[in-house]
Amino acid sequence: MKNSVITFPLPANEPVKTYLVGSPERAALEKELERQRNMVVDIPIVIGGKEIRTGEIGQVVCPHDHQHVLATYHKVTEKEVKMAIESAMEARKQWMNTDWTTRAAIVLKMAELLATKYRYILNAATMLGQSKNIYQAEIDSACETIDFFRYNVHYASKIYSMQPKNGSGNLNHTEYRPLEGFVLAVTPFNFTSIASNLCMTPVLMGDVMVWKPSTTALLSNYHLMQLYKEAGLPEGVINFLPGSGALIGRVCMQSKHFAGIHFTGSTATFKSLWKEACSNLDRYISYPRLVGETGGKDFIFVHPTADEKAVATAAFCGAFEYQGQKCSAASRMYIPKSLWPAVLKNMKAMAAEVKMGDVRDPFNYINAVIDETSFDKIASYINYAKESKDAKIVLGGRCDKTVGYFVEPTIIETSDPHFKSMEEEIFGPVITVYPYDDDKMEETVTLCDETSPYGLTGSVFAQDRLAAERIADSLCYAAGNFYINDKPTGAVVGMQPFGGARASGTNDKAGGEFNLIRWTVPRVIKETLVSPTDYRYSYLK
Ligand code: NAD
């Protein structure tokens, strides 16, 4: 019997563990890293809870040691994609009618399991498979994933309690139905938490999923599937399909049951999926929900009153943490000429201190970029800058893919505010800096606003608080997440719901109720307590 009103108050954020030498978490993580490094996981397709092996095999390697195989995986064919759709539609019958607090209990159990038993499994898999250092893995695959689980339950409770008022002689309420069909989740390599959240947000609202994980994040993503199973998620609610995105996208979007896509990745991929949905529109039962967070060309705008050490730290961490492979990574900076030499000197001093290499050495602040395609793309931008008369490399610039895909933290200085690397997303540890004449601040703000098609994150540095306000106003549409005197990365669930507009996405704000509501189709029900029996208006009687 379910007749209790259960409340889910605003949760606390999961504390970030320190991993100090001698701490129990450090010992547990090191042990798990060794365990996972010394095995090769066989990753199946999972449909309706059943493991399927097609025998068409791919490999998952360590980006920082690309000859080391961590896992093999089985690729889907069209047949398995169709099976996954059927399985999701079958699971939907039960899942959509499961009381939402039971769904919430399963999600909250995921959070508890991840905070304890699965913490080091997920962190080690993210470190080895996606080349993150301890801290970057802890804030992603442990803390942010847990925060998404817990906060989403709180936000769902807010949505379900949003109800209309009753009228005289009638009762009204809103049912938040899940979408009429299945949702396709297409997830990126760079955050385990995003991979989890793109599936679990619709699932919490009663939807069922076909999940296309990123091939380069398969190890951690497969462990997520095991976590979901252990928490009690019924079979078929999430169907896990490693393989070609183009194939999975095409088959899913040709199904009349396709009800939405929850995407994070590049702008080009999302646009192609959007076009595919449009070309199939007549097949669908409803207009599909297209929710996507995509690329960025995130900026730091420095006012002449800024603190040079604070700017240097923000630019260094914002551009180079996780090798610049955050959608929010600082990748262009506008700085007064009077400040640039001191800021550059500070950034060079930081670069001289940091080491680059394997994730198992905790002193390696910088690890590898995700794969060879990415490495080659980043290297081509660096080489382009080396050969250009409008730019010079003032820090780093060396790339080496002999053992792993290593790119040094790199600063390109340019005299051209429209230089290629000021406009295009590189997705690597490269920031391009445009030093401007101190008396040309206003024009440079306009340049910053109009230079790139994206609108994801940005920050302003100024000790003159009124100047910061004016710049923030001028850059009103340049970023969906804007920071004052801070780096443009590091959004925290519950504090800075995340997403951008323009070419950066639909801005439905992961980690907030705006996103959850996209996975529902509300139905409003009016019940008249005593039905009228006379058609006439009072004055006609
Ligand atoms: P990507 O677009 O290459 O891949 C994303 C996913 O799409 C992967 O699972 C991939 O296999 C799949 N895919 C690729 N081509 C496809 C196709 N034709 N049809 C269907 N699926 C396809 O992106 P990525 O390299 O994994 O991630 C990096 C990008 O993600 C960057 O552009 C970054 O800015 C963006 N990103 C954005 C956010 C955000 O919140 N805005 C967050 C993280 C990453």
Side-chain angles (χ1 to χ4, degrees):
M1 185 189 296
K2 264 273 157 78
N3 56 15
S4 322
V5 176
I6 304 176
T7 56
F8 296 94
L10 197 66
N13 289 87
E14 176 67 12
V16 179
K17 289 191 185 288
T18 59
Y19 294 89
L20 295 176
V21 180
S23 64
E25 66 264 22
R26 177 78 165 261
L29 180 63
E30 283 173 352
K31 196 168 156 212
E32 182 60 21
L33 282 166
E34 270 324 287
R35 190 184 76 84
Q36 291 193 23
R37 213 188 126 82
N38 288 313
M39 65 193 293
V40 179
V41 181
D42 178 39
I43 299 177
I45 298 156
V46 184
I47 298 175
K50 310 279 176 306
E51 297 190 350
I52 295 174
R53 291 176 168 80
T54 54
E56 207 194 317
I57 301 285
Q59 285 186 335
V60 179
V61 300
C62 289
H64 44 269
D65 180 7
H66 49 57
Q67 294 310 299
H68 186 93
V69 178
L70 293 164
T72 54
Y73 67 95
H74 294 257
K75 297 179 188 174
V76 290
T77 68
E78 188 162 336
K79 180 177 150 209
E80 288 79 36
V81 185
K82 288 184 171 160
M83 281 166 62
I85 295 170
E86 274 172 32
S87 156
M89 292 306 293
E90 186 55 35
R92 181 175 179 272
K93 294 174 192 159
Q94 182 200 39
W95 188 242
M96 67 173 282
N97 289 311
T98 301
D99 186 277
W100 95 265
T101 58
T102 306
R103 297 198 302 258
I106 292 172
V107 172
L108 291 175
K109 182 166 180 182
M110 290 172 189
E112 292 312 299
L113 283 170
L114 182 49
T116 52
K117 176 179 171 186
Y118 279 83
R119 190 179 206 109
Y120 307 112
I121 298 175
L122 258 298
N123 279 356
T126 301
M127 290 173 71
L128 294 171
Q130 289 140 264
S131 208
K132 291 202 172 191
N133 63 34
I134 297 177
Y135 180 78
Q136 292 299 321
E138 169 74 4
I139 60 171
D140 164 22
S141 45
C143 299
E144 188 168 73
T145 313
I146 293 168
D147 287 349
F148 276 135
F149 290 144
R150 292 185 178 144
Y151 276 87
N152 281 345
V153 168
H154 168 71
Y155 294 131
S157 76
K158 277 173 76 179
I159 290 171
Y160 288 126
S161 63
M162 277 193 312
Q163 293 296 335
K165 67 175 196 172
N166 294 323
S168 154
N170 63 61
L171 299 177
N172 301 306
H173 73 278
T174 302
E175 283 176 349
Y176 291 90
R177 301 169 300 178
L179 306 188
E180 198 174 3
F182 71 92
V183 177
L184 169 64
V186 180
T187 61
F189 79 84
N190 64 340
F191 278 90
T192 305
S193 59
I194 296 178
S196 175
N197 189 49
L198 296 194
C199 293
M200 288 313 303
T201 306
V203 162
L204 176 61
M205 305 311 282
D207 289 288
V208 289
M209 312 298 294
V210 173
W211 177 17
K212 191 269 170 259
S214 172
T215 302
T216 41
L218 271 178
L219 185 62
S220 63
N221 289 192
Y222 179 54
H223 286 300
L224 283 174
M225 279 301 283
Q226 290 166 323
L227 166 77
Y228 299 159
K229 185 176 173 186
E230 188 166 339
L233 191 71
E235 294 174 347
V237 172
I238 299 180
N239 299 280
F240 177 77
L241 303 189
S244 154
L247 168 74
I248 296 164
R250 179 175 54 75
V251 178
C252 284
M253 290 175 143
Q254 283 172 354
S255 165
K256 74 169 187 175
H257 299 299
F258 173 73
I261 185 163
H262 204 188
F263 176 86
T264 296
S266 64
T267 302
T269 307
F270 189 51
K271 283 188 175 173
S272 78
L273 289 167
W274 192 298
K275 286 176 191 157
E276 184 109 28
C278 291
S279 68
N280 285 301
L281 201 53
D282 292 336
R283 297 174 190 255
Y284 304 144
I285 294 167
S286 305
Y287 295 101
R289 297 280 158 92
L290 306 175
V291 175
E293 293 304 331
T294 62
K297 191 68 199 169
D298 311 298
F299 59 84
I300 295 178
F301 194 93
V302 186
H303 184 262
T305 62
D307 178 279
E308 62 198 37
K309 192 85 201 242
V311 172
T313 308
F316 192 85
C317 297
F320 304 140
E321 280 182 327
Y322 189 40
Q323 296 78 256
Q325 298 171 117
K326 300 188 184 189
C327 50
S328 53
S331 64
R332 55 186 168 126
M333 178 156 76
Y334 302 83
I335 187 163
K337 283 183 175 164
S338 61
L339 282 182
W340 177 225
V343 169
L344 177 60
K345 190 172 161 216
N346 274 305
M347 290 180 77
K348 282 183 171 172
M350 293 171 204
E353 273 175 22
V354 301
K355 286 174 55 189
M356 179 164 74
D358 194 311
V359 294
R360 288 173 302 154
D361 178 350
F363 290 103
N364 287 332
Y365 189 89
I366 308 282
N367 311 111
V369 300
I370 194 70
D371 60 13
E372 187 163 23
T373 310
S374 185
F375 175 94
D376 290 345
K377 179 181 167 192
I378 300 164
S380 77
Y381 276 96
I382 293 174
N383 290 335
Y384 179 85
K386 280 180 183 164
E387 285 159 20
S388 168
K389 63 175 177 33
D390 297 321
K392 58 184 176 190
I393 307 283
V394 292
L395 177 74
R398 277 178 302 188
C399 309
D400 183 348
K401 60 177 173 182
T402 330
V403 177
Y405 304 111
F406 291 109
V407 179
E408 277 184 347
T410 298
I411 303 176
I412 300 172
E413 183 184 319
T414 182
S415 53
D416 174 7
H418 292 290
F419 190 67
K420 190 176 160 80
S421 62
M422 287 295 281
E423 299 193 334
E424 297 174 14
E425 186 184 46
I426 302 174
F427 222 57
V430 181
I431 184 168
T432 307
V433 179
Y434 172 67
Y436 66 85
D437 291 325
D438 288 40
D439 60 355
K440 298 238 169 70
M441 213 266 308
E442 302 290 339
E443 300 90 306
T444 314
V445 172
T446 306
L447 266 176
C448 176
D449 186 35
E450 294 175 355
T451 291
S452 120
Y454 298 107
L456 193 52
T457 75
S459 58
V460 59
F461 274 81
Q463 297 198 73
D464 176 341
R465 186 61 183 77
L466 297 186
E469 201 63 29
R470 282 195 301 277
I471 293 168
D473 283 347
S474 304
L475 295 174
C476 175
Y477 282 96
N481 283 69
F482 193 77
Y483 297 79
I484 297 174
N485 292 323
D486 203 348
K487 64 186 164 64
T489 59
V492 175
V493 179
M495 299 188 197
Q496 298 97 20
F498 190 79
R502 293 186 176 166
S504 291
T506 53
N507 201 11
D508 289 292
K509 298 288 186 216
E513 53 269 73
F514 303 126
N515 184 291
L516 272 73
I517 207 151
R518 297 297 313 271
W519 309 112
T520 68
V521 264
R523 175 167 81 149
V524 175
I525 297 177
K526 173 188 176 187
E527 178 176 352
T528 296
L529 299 173
V530 180
S531 307
T533 52
D534 185 347
Y535 82 93
R536 290 169 301 173
Y537 306 128
S538 310
Y539 58 80
L540 292 179
K541 290 180 188 165

